[in-house]
Amino acid sequence: DAKTTQPNSMESNEEEPVHLPCNHSTISGTDYIHWYRQLPSQGPEYVIHGLTSNVNNRMASLAIAEDRKSSTLILHRATLRDAAVYYCILRPGAQKLVFGQGTRLTINP
Amino acid sequence: DADVTQTPRNRITKTGKRIMLECSQTKGHDRMYWYRQDPGLGLRLIYYSFDVKDINKGEISDGYSVSRQAQAKFSLSLESAIPNQTALYFCATSDELAGAINEQFFGPGTRLTVL
């Protein structure tokens, strides 16, 4: 499984945008980039995924570098409820997920 | 009602005891998974099943067994629990749609303590 590298922790302020980086220099052509997050005391939940093009949904945006060796999850206007651990995962097609340690995001009021 | 439920939510047991964790889903998904999470770490896959007749080992299956009793039910057993199996256990499900990316839906977790 190709590996991802994320910062251990990040901090931001409420109502400001947050950019969560992920490096995946060994990504292969069939790997999709998935993001999940885990709120305190809950199971992980899907956030967004993409292959080559930038993606938007109601939760976040995903910006993928042209060479696909890095990506950024963008929360446009963070709320306290967005405080969670965010996992960047490479997944070839419909294969199983392999979680890393993720980035712990703290949101300050 | 929750789509993916796990029972029990919390369990304390003793070394050497047999314990079963149960997972049920109402999403109608074919695929089910068991993960464990240790403090400060990400989730690690124990076992997964792509349909009722299909069981596969994940990265940390030693000391665990599973049973897929029906499409909706997937149980994880610890035949003889040991303290380093103390962890948070998550069940997940996903659908199998050709050409689609199969989002996984997670249960609320079972906190297991082995004394």
Side-chain angles (χ1 to χ4, degrees):
Chain A
D1 297 316
K3 294 188 68 173
T4 62
T5 303
Q6 300 177 252
N8 289 333
S9 62
M10 290 185 63
E11 199 169 325
S12 186
N13 298 319
E14 197 175 11
E15 299 186 1
E16 291 184 356
V18 180
H19 291 234
L20 296 163
C22 181
N23 288 319
H24 29 77
S25 58
T26 60
I27 191 170
S28 72
T30 58
D31 285 338
Y32 284 78
I33 302 161
H34 287 248
W35 284 82
Y36 279 71
R37 72 179 186 180
Q38 187 173 16
L39 302 172
S41 302
Q42 295 188 26
E45 63 177 354
Y46 168 83
V47 177
I48 200 167
H49 76 273
L51 183 61
T52 56
S53 303
N54 295 344
V55 184
N56 299 296
N57 67 19
R58 64 175 179 81
M59 290 181 70
S61 296
L62 177 59
I64 300 173
E66 196 168 335
D67 64 4
R68 301 212 322 127
K69 293 185 177 183
S70 66
S71 60
T72 302
L73 178 71
I74 302 166
L75 306 179
H76 294 286
R77 198 161 173 262
T79 69
L80 296 176
R81 194 190 174 279
D82 290 319
V85 178
Y86 287 79
Y87 297 99
C88 170
I89 302 168
L90 299 184
R91 189 183 193 193
Q95 298 302 311
K96 55 191 182 296
L97 296 173
V98 178
F99 288 80
Q101 293 194 16
T103 296
R104 182 173 299 277
L105 176 65
T106 300
I107 304 296
N108 300 314
Chain B
D1 290 338
D3 295 317
V4 183
T5 57
Q6 294 183 231
T7 55
R9 294 293 313 279
N10 289 282
R11 180 72 182 267
I12 300 173
T13 191
K14 294 182 178 180
T15 297
K17 294 290 187 181
R18 183 179 188 275
I19 185 167
M20 179 181 288
L21 308 182
E22 300 190 357
C23 177
S24 294
Q25 52 113 346
T26 58
K27 300 189 74 67
H29 289 170
D30 288 322
R31 300 184 174 193
M32 299 187 73
Y33 311 79
W34 275 105
Y35 295 87
R36 72 174 271 176
Q37 184 173 36
D38 295 283
L41 300 179
L43 281 72
R44 291 184 291 169
L45 184 63
I46 306 172
Y47 272 95
Y48 60 103
S49 168
F50 282 179
D51 64 42
V52 175
K53 296 181 181 179
D54 175 77
I55 301 290
N56 303 281
K57 292 182 178 181
E59 60 180 308
I60 53 163
S61 59
D62 287 348
Y64 301 94
S65 62
V66 291
S67 173
R68 184 81 185 267
Q69 301 96 321
Q71 185 201 39
K73 296 185 182 298
F74 193 35
S75 300
L76 176 72
S77 293
L78 287 68
E79 296 301 326
S80 180
I82 57 177
N84 77 2
Q85 291 177 313
T86 294
L88 190 53
Y89 290 84
F90 289 102
C91 174
T93 75
S94 68
D95 209 342
E96 182 181 357
L97 299 173
I101 301 302
N102 305 313
E103 173 187 349
Q104 287 191 16
F105 295 85
F106 286 79
T110 294
R111 185 170 298 281
L112 176 66
T113 302
V114 183
L115 301 177

